[in-house]
Amino acid sequence: MFVKAVQVRRRWKADMYKVIVGNKKGVRISSKALDEEIREAVRQGARELNVIADGQQGIGGRIWGIDGKISIVVEGPVGQRLGGMGTSGTEIIVKGSVSDDVGWLNCGARITVLGDVTNGAHNAAAQGILYVQGSGGGRCDTITKCNPSFEPPQSWYFRDVGDAFAEFKTGGISVVCGVNPRNKKNILGYRPCVGMVGGIVYFRGPIEGFSKEDVKLVDLSAQDWQWLIANIKPFLESIHRMDYYGELTRSSGEWKKLIPYTAQERARQEDFPVSMEEFRSSYWEANVGKGGIFSEYVDHPADILPYITTGADRRYKPVWNNGKYAPPCEYACPSGIPTWKRTQLIRAGKLQEALELVLQYSPLPATVCGEICAHLCMDGCTRSIIDRPLNTEVLGKESLALKAPPLPEKKNGRKVAVIGGGAGGLSAAWQLALKGYDVNLYEAEKSIGGKLEYFIPQNRLPRRILKKELERFENIGVHIHTGISVNRQIFDEIYRDHDAVIVACGTHKPKKIPVKGIEDMLVAYNFLKDINIGRKPDLSGQDIIIIGAGNVGMDVAAQAYQCGAERVTAIDVQKPAAFGKELEIARSLGTQIVWPKFISKYDRKNRTLYFTDDTLLHADSVVLAIGDTPVTDFLPITVHTNADGWIEADEAGRTSDPKVFAVGDAVSPGLVTHAIGHGKRAAEAVQTLLSGIPYDRPEPGPVIPKNRVKTAYYEHCRSEPVTLESEADRCLSCGRCRDCHMCEITCYYGAIKRKEDKDGTYEYIVDDGLCIGCGFCAGVCPCGIWEMITA
C-alpha cells in the first residue's frame, strides 16, 4: 500500500513538472509554437516548467485563468517581452540576461532576471515585481502605473539603469541600488523622470541631472527607510546577493528619492503653454516616436480608441463611498468627536459652528481635549506620516471662547436622575438636558467635577477653565444637588421619583495589598484631594515612595515635589502603565521608577519599606496608588455588581435593572474621555427607553487604511504658528470628501458631476453611460473616498 502511494505521488510530481525545449533536433521552433506548448502544459496540470529557450519572445506571458502558482525557470537565449502581460500567480526566473521589454504590461507576475535587462524593462507595468541582478537598459519603467485596487508594481535594479528612466511614470516603485554601476558618475542615466506624475524612485549613488520640471529630489523619511529595509531582503535573496544586505541598509543617508510634485505645487507653476495637439507632436512623439510606443500595433486612426467600454461592459466601476470608512481620529476618540467635521467647518469659515459642534459630544472640550486628554486621536492621525499629527489640543482650548451654551430642546415632561458629578455623570446629564429632560444631578462633594476637581493637579488643569465649563450645566437647566451622599434610602426615593437613574458614582474605595503596615500608608485619592482643596502637606526634605507607577502615581509624584519632597520613587510589580504628560512631568521633576518590586512590609517607625527580595528603601511617607473601586452598597439587589463592587453594565450603560444605567469608572476604569463617551451612549439609551424606540446605535465603519489617503497631495509643514485655521487646512479629511472637485476635473469624459441638495449636502455621482472605468477618480482622490469595484 505504501509503495503504491509513493508511485502515485511520483506520477503526480511528474505531471506537475514539465521541460519545454525551444530548439528540437537543431530546428528552432517559433515563438507562437513555444507559447502554445507552454499553455498546453499548464492546461494539462503542469505547475513547474523549465523552458530551454532559443531567442523566442513572450515567454511566460498571458498565462490567464489558471488557479494556483505557476513557476517557470528559463535558460538559454531569451527574446523580447518575457513575462509580457504576465498575471498574478506566475513566477519567472531567468538564468541569464534578457532582451527588450521584459515585463511589458505586467499585470502581476513576479520576474527575476539573474543578469541584465535591456531597453524598456517593465514598460507600462501595472502590477507585479521585476528583480534584476544586473543593470537596466534605456527607457526602463516607462509609463508604469498603479491601479489603486492593487499593490503598486515594483522594479528593482542591483546596479544601474540607462537613459530616459521612469519616463512618464504614473505609479509604482522603482529601486536602483547602484552597486558596481557601469556609469559610476550617473546611475540613473540621462534625463530620468521626464513627465513623471506618480510613483517613487529610490536610488543609491551619484546622478547627473533629472527632470526638475516634473520631480523633486528629497531625503528618505522614516517610513521610506522602513519600507526599503523590509523589501530589499526578498530582492537580494531572489538575486543571490544577500552578502550586500549590510552595505545597502547601513544608512538611510546613502539613499535619496525622486517624487513628482504635488497637485498644490503644480498649481503654483505656470500652466503648460501648449495645446494637447502641439504637445503630442512636439514633445511626446518627438521623444517616443510617431504614434507613441504602441504605434506598430495600432491600425486605426490615432484619434479613435475603439477598445473603450462603458456601462455594463466595464470591468470596474467607481463608487463614491463618502463615510464608508471612519477617520482614525474619530475612530480612536472614546468620546467620538469628529475632528474632520470641525476642521471642515473651520475651512468653510464657520468657526462658531465648529466650536458648537464639539459640545454635541462632550460638555468639557476645553478641560479635557484642551488640557488633560491623552489625545488618542493624535496617536492615530494619518497626518503624522507627512510631518506631525493634527493638533486637537488647540481645537479644544478654543472651545472656551464660546459665550453661550447650546439651547436645550423644549421640555418633554420626563425626569432622569444622575448620581455622581464626575465626567461620566456630567456627560450623561448634559446630553439629556439638551434633549429636554428634567435632570437632577446628585453629588456627595461640595461641588461637581469629580476627579477633575479633586484629583487632577491644578498645574495640569487650571481650575478657571474647569469652572467656566461647569457653569454651563446650570445654564442649560441641570438641577445640581451637592453635599448629598446617596445611601439606600435616598436611592429608593430617587428611583421612585424619576423615569430613569444613571449611576456615575466613580471609584473612591482604595485597593489594598495584604502587607504589614498598610494602615500607615497614605491613599492617593485623599493625598491629591487634600492638596486640591487647600490642605497641602509639608513634605520638605522627605523621601516619598509611591506604590503604583500608573498615571495617578505620576500625579502623586509631581504633587509631592510641589510639597517639598527631596526624592520621589515610584515602584510597581510590573512594567509601569504611566504615559503621556503625567509621566513626562513626573520624570522631569526627578521621579525614579523601579520595577518589578514586591513589598513585604512597611515599618513607619523606622521609616523603611521592605521588599520580598531582601532589599529596602528609606520612606518618610508611602502613598498607595494602585487604583480604587466603586462604593455601591446603596444599590438594590436588582442592580448586579461583581465581587469587587463594579456595576455590571453593557456599552450603553444598561444594567440588570431596566430603569438603572451605569457609566464611567463605576463600571470599569478608564480615561476621562472613556467616561464622557460612555455617558453619551447611556443618555442615548435612556432616550430610546423612555420614547419606546429600541436602542440601535449604528456601529462606526472600519477605520480607513492609511494607504488609501493620498499623502502626496499635501505639503510638509514645518514651524508655522499653530492656529485653528492652519490646523484645519492640515487635516487630510480621511475617508470624508473634502469637496475638492479633483475627481470631477480629472474625468476626461465628464462622467462625474457634483449634485447638491437643498439642505446644502452634496454628493458626486457617476454617469455610467460615459464612465469607462479607468480609475482616475480613485487614483487622484486625496481623501480615499472613491473605490473601484467589479462592475
Side-chain angles (χ1 to χ4, degrees):
M1 189 70 174
F2 174 76
V3 173
K4 182 178 290 186
V6 171
Q7 291 172 343
V8 169
R9 188 156 55 248
R10 284 174 177 171
R11 285 199 300 271
W12 177 80
K13 286 186 175 181
D15 292 338
M16 293 284 287
Y17 179 75
K18 181 77 172 179
V19 177
I20 297 176
V21 180
N23 189 308
K24 298 181 179 181
K25 297 181 180 181
V27 178
R28 176 186 177 277
I29 66 173
S30 69
S31 298
K32 181 179 180 180
L34 183 71
D35 184 57
E36 289 177 348
E37 189 172 347
I38 291 173
R39 291 176 184 281
E40 181 60 26
V42 171
R43 280 193 292 268
Q44 294 297 325
R47 294 296 179 266
E48 296 182 15
L49 289 81
N50 187 2
V51 178
I52 312 299
D54 191 13
Q56 286 86 0
Q57 300 183 10
I59 298 173
R62 301 179 299 158
I63 301 177
W64 302 329
I66 303 297
D67 294 330
K69 180 180 176 182
I70 310 296
S71 297
I72 303 174
V73 176
V74 184
E75 302 178 59
V78 178
Q80 297 179 353
R81 291 184 183 156
L82 176 134
M85 300 187 189
T87 190
S88 180
T90 301
E91 181 171 346
I92 306 172
I93 300 175
V94 182
K95 294 185 175 181
S97 298
V98 298
S99 188
D100 293 352
D101 296 329
V102 58
W104 175 78
L105 282 173
N106 191 4
C107 301
R110 173 170 167 160
I111 304 170
T112 302
V113 178
L114 302 178
D116 295 324
V117 296
T118 54
N119 300 330
H122 236 200
N123 270 354
Q127 298 168 52
I129 296 177
L130 172 64
Y131 288 155
V132 180
Q133 188 192 66
S135 299
R139 289 209 166 95
C140 293
D141 287 31
T142 294
I143 326 179
T144 58
K145 46 195 175 290
C146 177
N147 185 327
S149 300
F150 302 95
E151 291 294 318
Q154 298 179 29
S155 306
W156 294 72
Y157 302 89
F158 187 65
R159 298 179 67 189
D160 56 356
V161 292
D163 295 345
F165 179 69
E167 196 172 44
F168 302 108
K169 186 180 184 71
T170 65
I173 302 170
S174 304
V175 184
V176 182
C177 298
V179 178
N180 300 323
R182 298 167 301 181
N183 188 340
K184 297 185 181 301
K185 295 182 179 180
N186 187 12
I187 66 164
L188 294 187
Y190 173 73
R191 290 277 288 169
C193 303
V194 171
M196 178 173 167
V197 295
I200 304 173
V201 175
Y202 296 111
F203 68 94
R204 173 181 169 273
I207 62 173
E208 292 182 345
F210 56 90
S211 182
K212 295 183 178 180
E213 298 84 1
D214 300 294
V215 295
K216 54 187 176 182
L217 179 68
V218 294
D219 294 328
L220 269 60
S221 66
Q223 289 80 9
D224 290 323
W225 186 233
Q226 290 172 4
W227 183 93
L228 201 60
I229 289 176
N231 287 279
I232 202 169
K233 190 172 183 179
F235 165 58
L236 294 176
E237 288 175 341
S238 296
I239 65 168
H240 312 309
R241 290 291 185 271
M242 270 301 291
D243 51 326
Y244 282 88
Y245 180 76
E247 176 183 333
L248 294 176
T249 60
R250 65 189 170 198
S251 171
S252 62
E254 296 181 5
W255 291 82
K256 295 287 185 182
K257 69 175 179 179
L258 291 167
I259 55 174
Y261 289 110
T262 65
Q264 291 173 317
E265 291 168 331
R266 290 183 185 277
R268 290 196 293 266
Q269 298 174 355
E270 294 184 8
D271 293 336
F272 202 73
V274 296
S275 65
M276 287 301 296
E277 183 178 351
E278 184 182 350
F279 170 76
R280 174 186 291 175
S281 61
S282 302
Y283 292 87
W284 177 269
E285 292 183 345
N287 282 279
V288 301
K290 182 72 173 177
I293 62 173
F294 304 114
S295 59
E296 62 180 297
Y297 310 101
V298 176
D299 57 4
H300 56 74
D303 58 344
I304 298 176
L305 298 176
Y307 310 116
I308 293 176
T309 57
T310 60
D313 294 328
R314 293 168 296 170
R315 184 180 180 188
Y316 297 101
K317 65 179 182 180
V319 179
W320 189 69
N321 276 327
N322 188 32
K324 173 183 176 180
Y325 296 102
C329 54
E330 181 181 359
Y331 189 88
C333 176
S335 302
I337 297 173
T339 294
W340 65 270
K341 196 169 184 179
R342 282 193 287 175
T343 59
Q344 183 184 72
L345 289 168
I346 294 171
R347 289 195 300 271
K350 300 177 181 179
L351 177 58
Q352 191 68 16
E353 292 181 35
L355 298 180
E356 291 173 351
L357 172 70
V358 73
L359 290 179
Q360 298 176 23
Y361 297 85
S362 169
L364 305 168
T367 298
V368 180
C369 303
E371 298 294 336
I372 65 167
C373 187
H375 296 297
L376 303 180
C377 55
M378 293 172 64
D379 290 342
C381 181
T382 312
R383 182 81 205 194
S384 60
I385 296 174
I386 302 173
D387 38 41
R388 56 178 172 79
L390 203 67
N391 191 329
T392 53
E393 186 173 311
V394 71
L395 298 177
K397 289 179 184 292
E398 194 65 27
S399 300
L400 206 64
L402 281 167
K403 293 182 173 58
L407 292 174
E409 296 178 9
K410 183 180 178 180
K411 292 292 184 181
N412 57 29
R414 298 285 194 163
K415 292 176 64 178
V416 180
V418 177
I419 300 174
L426 290 171
S427 175
W430 175 265
Q431 298 293 340
L432 290 166
L434 289 179
K435 292 297 182 180
Y437 291 83
D438 272 320
V439 180
N440 287 299
L441 188 148
Y442 301 91
E443 169 57 47
E445 299 291 348
K446 294 181 180 179
S447 60
I448 59 174
K451 291 182 179 178
L452 294 170
E453 174 68 34
Y454 295 104
F455 211 76
I456 297 179
Q458 296 187 21
N459 63 338
R460 280 211 300 121
L461 175 56
R463 289 310 185 263
R464 62 176 179 81
I465 295 176
L466 177 61
K467 180 181 178 182
K468 187 169 182 179
E469 294 208 297
L470 292 178
E471 289 173 354
R472 295 189 185 124
F473 286 84
E474 290 189 359
N475 294 336
I476 66 168
V478 177
H479 308 296
I480 299 172
H481 310 278
T482 57
I484 297 179
S485 182
V486 176
N487 55 26
R488 177 61 184 277
Q489 180 182 350
I490 294 175
F491 179 85
D492 288 343
E493 294 174 3
I494 292 172
Y495 186 91
R496 184 175 56 252
D497 295 340
H498 293 81
D499 297 297
V501 180
I502 298 177
V503 179
C505 58
T507 54
H508 302 286
K509 181 181 178 181
K511 292 180 180 179
K512 297 294 181 71
I513 52 178
V515 297
K516 186 177 179 180
I518 185 71
E519 66 279 359
D520 294 324
M521 298 180 186
L522 302 173
V523 175
Y525 181 82
N526 296 332
F527 178 83
L528 293 170
K529 179 182 175 183
D530 284 347
I531 293 174
N532 278 342
I533 64 177
R535 295 200 294 258
K536 185 176 180 180
D538 183 7
L539 304 179
S540 300
Q542 291 191 16
D543 285 346
I544 306 299
I545 305 297
I546 302 166
I547 301 175
N551 278 352
V552 173
M554 297 303 101
D555 279 341
V556 171
Q559 292 296 74
Y561 276 115
Q562 295 298 321
C563 294
E566 183 173 334
R567 280 180 296 274
V568 178
T569 304
I571 64 170
D572 212 314
V573 298
Q574 60 187 2
K575 183 178 180 180
F579 67 98
K581 292 181 180 179
E582 294 93 328
L583 180 61
E584 292 175 13
I585 293 172
R587 277 186 165 161
S588 69
L589 294 171
T591 303
Q592 298 295 312
I593 301 176
V594 181
W595 65 281
K597 299 292 283 185
F598 296 86
I599 301 165
S600 60
K601 68 177 180 178
Y602 173 47
D603 186 343
R604 182 182 180 187
K605 182 179 179 180
N606 293 315
R607 299 182 180 181
T608 304
L609 186 65
Y610 295 90
F611 300 98
T612 56
D613 59 0
D614 295 329
T615 60
L616 53 84
L617 284 173
H618 180 263
D620 294 301
S621 296
V622 176
V623 183
L624 196 62
I626 59 173
D628 307 298
T629 58
V631 178
T632 55
D633 53 5
F634 63 88
L635 293 173
I637 59 173
T638 55
V639 180
H640 295 166
T641 59
N642 64 24
D644 295 321
W646 304 96
I647 303 173
E648 295 182 355
D650 65 11
E651 62 175 13
R654 292 173 294 200
T655 70
S656 53
D657 187 321
K659 190 176 173 179
V660 179
F661 296 75
V663 300
D665 287 353
V667 175
S668 62
L671 301 172
V672 173
T673 45
H674 287 111
I676 291 173
H678 202 184
K680 184 176 186 296
R681 292 193 296 274
E684 293 170 351
V686 168
Q687 294 172 62
T688 57
L689 170 71
L690 300 184
S691 63
I693 302 172
Y695 181 75
D696 185 23
R697 189 172 190 268
E699 290 294 324
V703 65
I704 187 169
K706 291 191 175 181
N707 61 4
R708 288 190 57 83
V709 183
K710 310 300 191 303
T711 57
Y713 287 97
Y714 300 91
E715 292 184 310
H716 184 283
C717 298
R718 290 180 171 82
S719 58
E720 294 83 354
V722 177
T723 65
L724 289 178
E725 291 74 18
S726 68
E727 292 306 289
D729 192 54
R730 291 180 64 246
C731 176
L732 306 186
S733 195
C734 307
R736 303 287 176 161
C737 180
R738 196 162 174 156
D739 203 19
C740 63
H741 297 267
M742 288 181 64
C743 55
E744 186 180 19
I745 295 169
T746 303
C747 184
Y748 179 83
Y749 289 94
I752 297 175
K753 297 295 181 185
R754 183 185 187 276
K755 178 185 176 183
E756 185 168 334
D757 295 327
K758 293 180 180 179
D759 61 359
T761 61
Y762 66 90
E763 62 178 328
Y764 284 86
I765 58 176
V766 178
D767 185 335
D768 291 338
L770 296 175
C771 173
I772 66 171
C774 64
F776 279 12
C777 51
V780 303
C781 179
C783 306
I785 309 300
W786 287 98
E787 286 189 293
M788 301 300 294
I789 65 172
T790 303

